[in-house]
Amino acid sequence: KFYGNSVPELKQNLSRIGILFGRYVEDINPLADQNLTDDLNREKKWDYDANGVRADVFAIYEPPQQPVKHGARFLTDPRQDVVQGMAEAMGLEPVGMIICKKKAKANPKGFQTYLTAKELLLVAKLQSVFSDESNFSRFGCVVLEHSDMIEPVGLAASDTCMALERAGLLDTIKGSPYKLRTKLPEGADPSLMPKIFIPKDQDVSGGRHTASEKLSTGDPFPMDFLTVKIIATQSRGARKLFLHHDFPVQGGMKELKNYMQRYSNQGFAKKFSDFNLLINLPKLMGDKHTETCVEIAKCIGFHEEFPPKISNELDTFFIKNQLF
């Protein structure tokens, strides 16, 4: 559905963004306890943590936004706290950002053209927002390019990129959407500017060359050196959370009535199994039903039956508003 919602932007060669809501789970490495041999038949042991962490994504929230050239930017979202609260009740949290965009031309030197500089800085900013007290973030980004074969690409800003963005030391370059440059914040001491080295410009190996050169403030450079690739694939073993995905992002009472009539043969637990419906529920039912909305979100998020009290309250609300 998110891809379909992005069609107007794609027709104008613009991008659409969303926030991925899901859960972090331990990603079991089945080979971690095994001793293997390398190509020369020498014994080799794993030298990293046995298991990793993956994010199982269950929903996409499309906040108010403004498409701009080579990216998009978030607008003030009056529902931010409500969406966050309802998602938490479902046991979900923001785990990443998703971008739907036109496929860009390949770079002749092999550098990435999935994220523009504006988009990478936005990812870095969001990673800082959704990080722990040590500024460590598991937040990532998924890119969907419009093409005959849509394959999700997973990327993230490196720790260095996060630190530079947080300090206001990175800037975009007009006319070079896939390059960044360093900048000195107004009033800052030039001697405090970090030293940055990148592979030499004639390198055509996509960043694998060992020869390097120091960047001066304002020098453009490819973003690959601040980008990390992550795996984006179908979930393995995660139980499906939502049965429906057709309630509008900003649905009202008219849309609610149509939705309920569409699924009139289903019980409440199945009817309400739609992320957009749940985050709109507090607005639709009103302040006096806030606790009920949260309880409904908990039931859906953890596959629990609705308590009789909740079902009775919903019956009363639906009859009063002629939603059946």
Side-chain angles (χ1 to χ4, degrees):
K1 184 178 179 181
F2 174 74
Y3 185 84
N5 291 346
S6 304
V7 170
E9 284 82 3
L10 292 174
K11 288 182 177 179
Q12 302 178 61
N13 200 23
L14 298 172
S15 303
R16 186 163 185 82
I17 51 181
I19 298 296
L20 302 173
F21 277 87
R23 295 168 180 158
Y24 292 111
V25 296
E26 186 178 33
D27 195 25
I28 304 298
N29 180 0
L31 301 177
D33 296 328
Q34 297 183 24
N35 292 333
L36 304 180
T37 57
D38 61 18
D39 294 338
L40 299 177
N41 204 33
R42 295 175 300 188
E43 186 177 62
K44 180 176 66 175
K45 293 180 180 290
W46 296 102
D47 56 357
Y48 49 82
D49 290 341
N51 299 318
V53 175
R54 74 170 188 268
D56 286 335
V57 176
F58 296 99
I60 300 175
Y61 173 57
E62 300 175 53
Q65 57 192 273
Q66 179 183 17
V68 295
K69 192 174 183 180
H70 305 309
R73 67 184 185 91
F74 291 120
L75 302 176
T76 302
D77 187 0
R79 299 195 302 164
Q80 180 176 336
D81 291 340
V82 173
V83 172
Q84 188 75 20
M86 291 294 283
E88 288 178 1
M90 293 178 244
L92 304 178
E93 62 180 303
V95 296
M97 183 176 82
I98 186 168
I99 304 175
C100 191
K101 59 193 299 185
K102 284 280 190 179
K103 186 177 180 66
K105 293 182 180 179
N107 183 284
K109 290 189 176 182
F111 295 115
Q112 73 90 9
T113 53
Y114 297 111
L115 289 177
T116 64
K118 287 182 181 178
E119 292 165 345
L120 179 61
L121 292 182
L122 178 57
V123 172
K125 181 175 292 187
L126 289 175
Q127 286 181 205
S128 293
V129 171
F130 300 107
S131 61
D132 60 21
E133 61 278 0
S134 301
N135 291 322
F136 173 75
S137 178
R138 299 178 293 187
F139 195 90
C141 177
V142 175
V143 179
L144 296 179
E145 291 185 323
H146 178 62
S147 62
D148 294 335
M149 180 68 71
I150 301 174
E151 296 183 3
V153 176
L155 298 166
S158 67
D159 292 342
T160 301
C161 183
M162 288 175 59
L164 292 172
E165 189 282 328
R166 197 162 48 240
L169 300 178
L170 292 177
D171 197 7
T172 57
I173 304 171
K174 187 175 181 179
S176 299
Y178 296 97
K179 287 190 176 183
L180 285 166
R181 65 181 175 186
T182 55
K183 68 174 183 178
L184 186 66
E186 186 176 351
D189 183 354
S191 65
L192 299 178
M193 193 70 180
K195 297 178 181 178
I196 301 177
F197 295 84
I198 64 169
K200 288 187 176 180
D201 190 55
Q202 65 266 28
D203 174 31
V204 294
S205 66
R208 296 185 297 273
H209 201 282
T210 56
S212 61
E213 61 183 345
K214 181 182 177 182
L215 287 177
S216 298
T217 303
D219 286 348
F221 63 93
M223 305 184 311
D224 287 54
F225 314 113
L226 297 179
T227 307
V228 179
K229 289 187 177 181
I230 57 178
I231 297 175
T233 185
Q234 288 187 336
S235 179
R236 295 174 295 166
R239 183 179 178 185
K240 189 175 181 179
L241 191 56
F242 301 107
L243 298 178
H244 309 303
H245 306 277
D246 49 334
F247 195 80
V249 177
Q250 294 277 2
M253 292 300 288
K254 179 181 177 181
E255 288 77 18
L256 179 60
K257 184 173 183 178
N258 292 337
Y259 176 91
M260 289 300 166
Q261 289 177 345
R262 192 179 312 135
Y263 300 111
S264 58
N265 62 333
Q266 296 183 353
F268 282 133
K270 291 185 177 180
K271 281 182 180 178
F272 281 88
S273 187
D274 184 296
F275 182 77
N276 281 335
L277 170 59
L278 291 171
I279 62 175
N280 279 282
L281 207 54
K283 175 190 71 175
L284 297 170
M285 295 189 69
D287 293 340
K288 67 178 183 178
H289 295 287
T290 299
E291 292 185 6
T292 299
C293 295
V294 171
E295 188 64 30
I296 291 172
K298 288 181 180 178
C299 291
I300 298 298
F302 296 96
H303 301 282
E304 298 174 354
E305 291 295 324
F306 284 25
K309 179 183 177 182
I310 298 297
S311 297
N312 293 336
E313 188 172 343
L314 287 173
D315 282 332
T316 302
F317 177 81
F318 274 47
I319 292 172
K320 179 181 177 181
N321 292 277
Q322 300 180 345
L323 295 174
F324 283 118

